[in-house]
Amino acid sequence: MRKNSIKNIRINSEVQKELSNIIRTEVKDPRIHPMTTVVAVEVAPDLKSCKAYISVLGSEEEARETLAGLKSGEGYIRRALASSVNLRNTPEITFILDQSIEYGVHMSRLIDDVMGDREEETEE
């Protein structure tokens, strides 16, 4: 199975949906921030491993705590995923902090600042 096959894309989206649901409703770790989002999931073609990209709306400290909470609950999350998604193998989950949303907001602010300065120069 190729990495970008239709089957792999469907598996990625299904695992992402179920992981998001499990983290939101079933995991009770107080370290996990309530505004945690599963941005993307990449399941290996052999279904042995999985990278889950996590975004946390909060401070860097809250993001680190959330990542630590998810890593400690990895076994429970994997069992819950196995019971909700029917795959030949349940992948080993690796949680990765995704900061692309925060980077995009930062770049947007920088662009707005530059455009605001440019408008002030034209008015003078």
Side-chain angles (χ1 to χ4, degrees), residues 10-67:
R10 275 198 341 252
I11 289 172
N12 288 344
S13 66
E14 187 66 26
V15 169
Q16 178 182 355
K17 184 177 77 171
E18 289 300 324
L19 266 180
S20 178
N21 188 30
I22 291 166
I23 291 170
R24 187 181 67 242
T25 60
E26 295 181 27
V27 178
K28 303 296 183 204
D29 193 329
R31 293 178 289 182
I32 298 176
H33 194 270
M35 294 297 288
T36 301
T37 307
V38 180
V39 177
V41 170
E42 292 177 1
V43 178
D46 62 355
L47 304 177
K48 298 281 185 188
S49 64
C50 166
K51 293 180 185 175
Y53 295 93
I54 305 296
S55 176
V56 178
L57 187 63
S59 67
E60 284 191 33
E61 180 61 32
E62 291 171 331
R64 280 194 298 269
E65 287 291 319
T66 298
L67 207 54

Side-chain angles (χ1 to χ4, degrees), residues 22 25-28 72-82:
I22 291 166
T25 60
E26 295 181 27
V27 178
K28 303 296 183 204
S72 72
E74 192 173 310
Y76 173 79
I77 294 171
R78 187 173 182 213
R79 271 192 310 279
L81 184 66

Side-chain angles (χ1 to χ4, degrees), residues 79-109:
R79 271 192 310 279
L81 184 66
S83 67
S84 63
V85 177
N86 187 17
L87 293 174
R88 184 174 358 115
N89 298 320
T90 304
E92 194 74 34
I93 304 168
T94 304
F95 293 103
I96 300 169
L97 188 62
D98 183 34
Q99 297 175 330
S100 61
I101 295 172
E102 290 140 14
Y103 179 74
V105 169
H106 175 69
M107 292 305 290
S108 178
R109 283 189 191 136

